[in-house]
Amino acid sequence: MGKRRAGRELLRGLSKRQKKHLRDFGEEHPFHDKVSGRPEATQICELSEDSDKSSKESDSETEVEQVSGYHKLLATLKTSPESESEEEEDESESEEAEDSEAEMGSEGSQKIGEAEEGEEDKNDVPEEEEDTAEQMLSQEQADGTDTSCDPRHGVIEEFTDVKHESEFSLETNFMEEESGDCNADRRDSSSSQALPEDPFKQHMDKELEEKEIEKMSTLPKTSNQSQWPRLGQVIFSSTLEKHKTLKADKEVDVKQLHLHKPLESTWPKVNKQFLSSAGKPMDSSFTPLQRELFCIMNSYRDLFYPERKALTNGEEIRHAYCLHALNHVLKANAQVLSNNAKRRDRKPGTDSDDHRDQGLTRPKVLMIVPFRECALRIVHVFISLLEVNDKKKIDVSNKKRFKGEFGSDPEEKPPNLKRPEDYEAVFAGNIDDHFRIGVAILQKSMRLYAPFYSSDIIIASPLGIRTVIGAEGEKKRDFDFLSSIEILIIDQADIYLMQNWEHVLHLMKHINLLPLDSHGVDFSRVRMLNLNNWSKYYRQTLLFSALQDPQINSVFNKHCFNYVGQVAVRNVPLTGSISHVVVQLPHVFRRLEADSVTSVIDGRFQFFIDKVLPEYRDAIMSHTLIYVPSYFDYVRLRNYFKKEDLNFTHICEYTKKAAVCRARRFFLKGEKQFLLFTERFHFYKRYTIKGIRNLIFYELPTYSHFYSEICNMLKATDNGVDATWTCTVLYSKYDAQKLAAVVGIDRTAQMLQSKKNVHLFVTGEND
């Protein structure tokens, strides 16, 4: 800290131009030198072959103000000077970035609505500028300058903790060094080895045969159903054999779960906040939902739970999968450290193949979450689970930096902003969706910002992990760190449908592939399942979503190959969201025919322009809002409306604030007959659109409660002409899940059997 503070004191008196020159050339500009009366003696420096390495080592040992001429010479050799015009442009950009630093934190949810547009801007940065930025960042880190809050380096911080590499290295540490009580750890390791029923060892130590791999690749899965008290209808599926159906335990004894030593005592304390609301004194450690979910997680089966609600059960589900992930990491690391001691104590010349306990790379758990706030809460749960009591605090490196980058200021939220409760729950805290961070964990310490190849857990957003993986043909791309992922957790998958689902698919295509480089791995310690490229058959995938969607189902069915099997919760909605419509409104559901899923897109467009739109062209059918879930359909309709010269306006997630206000005003006053309205705009903004008299759902909404929210916007119209209100919905047989969520399962069965249009009239709430 003294070195960094001294560096800041040195830079405090410099102007922006002087700081830039110091960054680029490692020295102050000669114009600002203090000239003395007598000439200085000439210094001659000889550069050795390892001069680069020695200069970096000397930088960490000397104070910032004592910069040698040798170091300055090296700095000028590393950085190539640019033209004066480029320097002036870079300086003006850095000044603008510094001036707008205060505005970046106050953008709030407006930034989220333009997420993809921002992605394109970030990805279009020229390579020369990227290289220059990386040189500046490495130079500042070498000088001890804190760059975490500097807006010049963009939203994603590429800082990695290199100081604690040896302290958190699994190869150089031993079980005795990690714990203060050597004998206790030896007893724990011996007792854990004596319990073959430990799910971790059962799953990871099983050796599959090539015949079994062929069966999983060719044969279909067999499935059976079971009814659980809390989860409801649970479907078990497997390819290898018919496993005995897993039953939900009425009560859970923590000691029977094979939790690692510190978690047995910390979990009841950490989870206490949910137990009080559950009102179940018989179970002192899990809520009914957590008990059944963790029973499946601890069996290392894949899990898909589509009823994760941010407003109700989101946090207790987060605590459950954090417990499972941390338990897995602690057991895996303890096994490696124990084997390190055995290898150290063995007689020289003896070679043993019994210590295969690692993957090709170190990361074991990958957690995909939508926002930085989610990563912040996950790390807080990890810290709470590792701290046995208030006296024994664990050592968390870079904790202050982490809170500054992933935390949020409560004062940043604009006052008097009324939004639904579910919106407040989803978009709480820091809602930046471009991040990634590595976490290394040993039993009594945690390392944040660990390099990926030195991390046990990687927490990232789909966009954050996508920019690291890169695309085919890009120079800088890396996905070797995904080769040995043993647990993949995708939380709040429904939000990624509103961000960019392609990032999730891109991740699934690059996970558990053979690495292109060895990355210093000891192949004598690598498990045979990793060497055989069978990692995907051992990977457990935990998928949590607020809804059932064909795209989410596809990922679970086509990209999960766990040899133990898959478990999916499939509950059908008895009552739909139409029961929450509070205005008297006739609903007309018009069915369109399509031969396949691919043809339904063109079929819906043709059905709309041929049969639906002509009915609304008359001026009497003004104030018509067309709700469009897909952005591609929105662009297609917008282009058609322009071509036909229809009187319309449009609002999407990329529309600027001024244009949104103008479109809402035109629509309210009737100056524009049609309003094209995208689902993603409603998801990110939740504005109330006034003046609606006619509703057209071009497709059923992704979120069922959006149907009632849009319909209830009609009560904001004060014209007293409710008798003319209409609502038309287009659907096909491929929209069965969305239709059931809106009208209920009974009406859905009737509507799919009948090819006629269905008329429903809702007179009020709970109709």
Side-chain angles (χ1 to χ4, degrees):
M1 292 299 294
K3 301 175 185 177
R4 181 171 293 179
R5 190 177 293 111
R8 289 176 177 172
E9 291 293 334
L10 179 65
L11 297 174
R12 189 168 294 173
L14 301 179
S15 64
K16 293 178 181 177
R17 185 182 294 274
Q18 292 172 347
K19 290 179 182 178
K20 183 180 184 303
H21 193 279
L22 181 60
R23 264 196 322 272
D24 294 344
F25 299 100
E27 60 180 356
E28 293 186 36
H29 196 280
F31 177 81
H32 304 286
D33 288 346
K34 297 181 181 180
V35 183
S36 58
R38 53 185 184 180
E40 296 182 358
T42 304
Q43 296 182 359
I44 300 176
C45 300
E46 295 182 0
L47 300 180
S48 60
E49 294 180 357
D50 57 346
S51 59
D52 192 4
K53 180 178 179 181
S54 61
S55 66
K56 291 181 180 179
E57 294 176 353
S58 63
D59 286 344
S60 61
E61 298 175 357
T62 59
E63 295 294 332
V64 178
E65 52 264 38
Q66 297 178 352
V67 183
S68 64
Y70 167 69
H71 178 73
K72 292 181 180 180
L73 180 59
L74 271 181
T76 57
L77 290 175
K78 288 180 182 178
T79 308
S80 59
E82 301 177 351
S83 63
E84 294 182 0
S85 60
E86 291 180 348
E87 289 182 3
E88 292 176 357
E89 290 176 4
D90 292 343
E91 181 182 357
S92 62
E93 289 175 2
S94 64
E95 289 178 357
E96 291 175 3
E98 290 177 359
D99 294 338
S100 62
E101 182 179 6
E103 300 177 2
M104 293 176 63
S106 61
E107 289 180 357
S109 61
Q110 295 180 9
K111 175 180 177 294
I112 295 296
E114 301 172 359
E116 288 189 1
E117 197 172 34
E119 288 176 35
E120 298 176 0
D121 296 339
K122 293 171 188 173
N123 295 335
D124 292 340
V125 179
E127 294 182 1
E128 295 180 3
E129 294 183 9
E130 290 182 354
D131 295 339
T132 306
E134 290 178 1
Q135 292 176 2
M136 291 163 56
L137 183 61
S138 60
Q139 182 69 27
E140 289 179 357
Q141 290 178 357
D143 294 340
T145 307
D146 189 356
T147 62
S148 61
C149 300
D150 194 342
R152 290 187 301 269
H153 303 293
V155 178
I156 282 202
E157 311 301 342
E158 298 298 336
F159 167 79
T160 53
D161 180 13
V162 296
K163 298 180 180 178
H164 304 86
E165 189 69 25
S166 60
E167 181 181 346
F168 285 84
S169 174
L170 289 179
E171 291 77 10
T172 58
N173 283 289
F174 303 94
M175 183 69 74
E176 295 86 358
E177 296 180 4
E178 184 188 359
S179 176
D181 186 0
C182 307
N183 297 327
D185 281 328
R186 287 177 178 173
R187 286 195 302 268
D188 290 341
S189 61
S190 61
S191 62
S192 63
Q193 292 175 0
L195 293 174
E197 65 271 18
D198 183 0
F200 168 78
K201 295 187 66 63
Q202 273 187 346
H203 182 69
M204 300 306 300
D205 292 348
K206 179 178 175 60
E207 295 184 2
L208 295 176
E209 299 179 357
E210 292 188 4
K211 294 181 180 179
E212 295 175 317
I213 299 297
E214 292 179 1
K215 287 183 180 179
M216 286 188 286
S217 304
T218 57
L219 297 180
K221 298 178 182 178
T222 58
S223 60
N224 54 66
Q225 300 182 18
S226 177
Q227 192 72 21
W228 285 31
R230 180 63 179 82
L231 294 180
Q233 185 177 354
V234 180
I235 298 179
F236 297 85
S237 59
S238 177
T239 304
L240 291 183
E241 55 182 286
K242 291 185 178 180
H243 296 276
K244 55 182 180 180
T245 304
L246 196 64
K247 295 183 179 180
D249 298 326
K250 295 182 179 180
E251 295 185 20
V252 175
D253 185 3
V254 179
K255 296 181 179 179
Q256 297 178 357
L257 295 176
H258 302 276
L259 297 179
H260 201 261
K261 183 179 178 181
L263 302 180
E264 289 184 3
S265 59
T266 58
W267 170 249
K269 299 176 183 178
V270 173
N271 203 46
K272 190 176 181 180
Q273 54 179 320
F274 304 110
L275 297 175
S276 58
S277 61
K280 293 286 184 181
M282 69 177 71
D283 190 352
S284 59
S285 56
F286 290 88
T287 65
L289 176 61
Q290 288 176 332
R291 181 174 62 247
E292 297 183 8
L293 287 177
F294 193 80
C295 179
I296 299 173
M297 294 180 195
N298 206 33
S299 67
Y300 280 89
R301 290 174 169 88
D302 294 335
L303 170 64
F304 175 38
Y305 182 68
E307 299 177 13
R308 191 248 194 237
K309 308 295 182 183
L311 193 60
T312 55
N313 57 13
E315 287 305 310
E316 57 178 309
I317 292 175
R318 193 195 313 276
H319 278 63
Y321 70 65
C322 284
L323 172 67
H324 177 60
L326 192 58
N327 185 43
H328 179 86
V329 169
L330 291 177
K331 286 182 178 180
N333 288 352
Q335 186 181 27
V336 174
L337 297 177
S338 177
N339 288 338
N340 286 349
K342 294 178 182 178
R343 288 167 61 92
R344 180 194 59 184
D345 298 338
R346 69 184 180 185
K347 297 179 180 180
T350 59
D351 191 11
S352 176
D353 199 36
D354 299 334
H355 300 143
R356 294 190 176 274
D357 50 17
Q358 302 177 21
L360 291 167
T361 53
R362 179 171 173 177
K364 308 170 186 64
V365 179
L366 175 62
M367 310 178 83
I368 302 297
V369 291
F371 305 121
R372 285 181 182 256
E373 174 68 18
C374 305
L376 179 71
R377 296 184 182 184
I378 287 174
V379 172
H380 284 171
V381 175
F382 285 159
I383 295 175
S384 302
L385 289 173
L386 291 174
E387 290 181 344
V388 179
N389 51 50
D390 296 335
K391 296 181 180 179
K392 295 183 178 180
K393 297 285 185 180
I394 66 168
D395 181 22
V396 182
S397 59
N398 307 302
K399 187 177 181 180
K400 185 177 180 181
R401 174 191 288 268
F402 176 74
K403 288 185 176 180
E405 295 180 2
F406 285 77
S408 62
D409 188 358
E411 298 180 357
E412 292 178 355
K413 183 179 178 180
N416 302 325
L417 186 63
K418 294 182 180 180
R419 293 289 184 269
E421 292 182 349
D422 66 294
Y423 179 91
E424 299 290 349
V426 170
F427 294 103
N430 191 334
I431 54 175
D432 178 28
D433 63 349
H434 194 182
F435 64 90
R436 51 185 176 262
I437 184 172
V439 182
I441 297 177
L442 291 183
Q443 191 164 353
K444 293 184 178 179
S445 55
M446 178 186 295
R447 178 191 183 194
L448 302 175
Y449 296 97
F452 277 4
Y453 292 97
S454 301
S455 303
D456 298 303
I457 302 174
I458 296 174
I459 309 173
S461 65
L463 176 59
I465 205 73
R466 171 67 172 80
T467 52
V468 177
I469 296 175
E472 191 172 347
E474 294 182 2
K475 294 182 179 179
K476 296 182 179 178
R477 59 183 311 214
D478 185 15
F479 48 87
D480 286 356
F481 59 89
L482 300 173
S483 62
S484 301
I485 294 296
E486 297 163 0
I487 297 179
L488 171 63
I489 301 175
I490 303 178
D491 194 11
Q492 296 176 272
D494 53 289
I495 296 182
Y496 311 140
L497 297 172
M498 300 292 112
Q499 292 178 346
N500 194 333
W501 188 251
E502 290 297 326
H503 297 333
V504 178
L505 298 179
H506 195 72
L507 165 65
M508 302 306 296
K509 293 177 182 177
H510 290 82
I511 195 170
N512 293 127
L513 301 179
L514 284 176
L516 303 178
D517 192 9
S518 62
H519 300 282
V521 67
D522 183 1
F523 286 97
S524 64
R525 303 285 297 272
V526 178
R527 296 187 181 96
M528 293 306 299
L529 67 94
N530 299 102
L531 296 176
N532 293 331
N533 196 21
W534 293 348
S535 301
K536 66 179 182 179
Y537 299 108
Y538 288 79
R539 186 192 75 231
Q540 181 187 31
T541 303
L542 306 178
L543 188 58
F544 302 98
S545 172
L547 50 89
Q548 296 194 41
D549 186 87
Q551 298 182 80
I552 302 177
N553 294 337
S554 176
V555 167
F556 187 73
N557 295 329
K558 295 182 179 180
H559 296 277
C560 297
F561 309 95
N562 194 340
Y563 76 88
V564 185
Q566 287 77 35
V567 179
V569 178
R570 306 289 188 188
N571 293 319
V572 292
L574 299 178
T575 59
S577 62
I578 196 173
S579 61
H580 297 103
V581 177
V582 297
V583 296
Q584 295 184 4
L585 180 67
H587 303 259
V588 179
F589 289 83
R590 307 187 64 169
R591 176 168 174 169
L592 59 98
E593 298 299 330
D595 298 331
S596 63
V597 179
T598 55
S599 64
V600 74
I601 299 175
D602 293 332
R604 178 180 286 108
F605 176 75
Q606 205 64 37
F607 183 86
F608 175 78
I609 63 176
D610 291 343
K611 297 184 179 181
V612 179
L613 187 59
E615 300 176 2
Y616 289 85
R617 283 179 177 266
D618 198 326
I620 197 174
M621 302 296 288
S622 61
H623 296 272
T624 300
L625 183 142
I626 305 175
Y627 182 91
V628 189
S630 171
Y631 179 77
F632 300 104
D633 290 335
Y634 160 80
V635 173
R636 191 175 189 178
L637 289 174
R638 183 192 63 190
N639 295 340
Y640 178 80
F641 277 36
K642 288 182 178 179
K643 180 182 177 181
E644 295 294 320
D645 198 20
L646 296 178
N647 184 22
F648 81 104
T649 185
H650 51 89
I651 298 176
C652 72
E653 55 271 23
Y654 303 121
T655 307
K656 295 183 179 180
K657 190 174 182 179
V660 171
C661 297
R662 189 162 54 249
R664 294 174 67 188
R665 184 176 67 254
F666 288 159
F667 184 72
L668 175 62
K669 294 183 178 180
E671 298 179 14
K672 300 293 184 181
Q673 182 178 356
F674 296 97
L675 172 62
L676 294 179
F677 188 78
T678 64
E679 181 176 70
R680 290 179 64 197
F681 177 84
H682 182 67
F683 174 79
Y684 286 116
K685 300 296 185 181
R686 301 292 182 92
Y687 289 171
T688 299
I689 306 299
K690 298 182 179 180
I692 305 175
R693 297 180 188 175
N694 305 288
L695 265 176
I696 299 177
F697 285 90
Y698 186 79
E699 185 181 355
L700 286 163
T702 304
Y703 290 90
S704 60
H705 64 276
F706 283 1
Y707 184 87
S708 57
E709 285 184 9
I710 299 296
C711 291
N712 290 333
M713 287 183 184
L714 275 72
K715 69 179 180 180
T717 304
D718 300 328
N719 296 336
V721 289
D722 52 342
T724 62
W725 289 348
T726 64
C727 178
T728 302
V729 185
L730 308 186
Y731 76 97
S732 70
K733 63 181 180 181
Y734 300 104
D735 299 325
Q737 288 182 335
K738 295 181 179 179
L739 189 61
V742 172
V743 301
I745 187 62
D746 295 333
R747 285 174 175 170
T748 299
Q750 298 174 2
M751 293 168 66
L752 292 179
Q753 291 176 359
S754 174
K755 295 185 178 181
K756 298 180 180 179
N757 296 335
V758 179
H759 297 257
L760 300 177
F761 187 77
V762 178
T763 58
E765 192 171 5
N766 299 326
D767 180 67

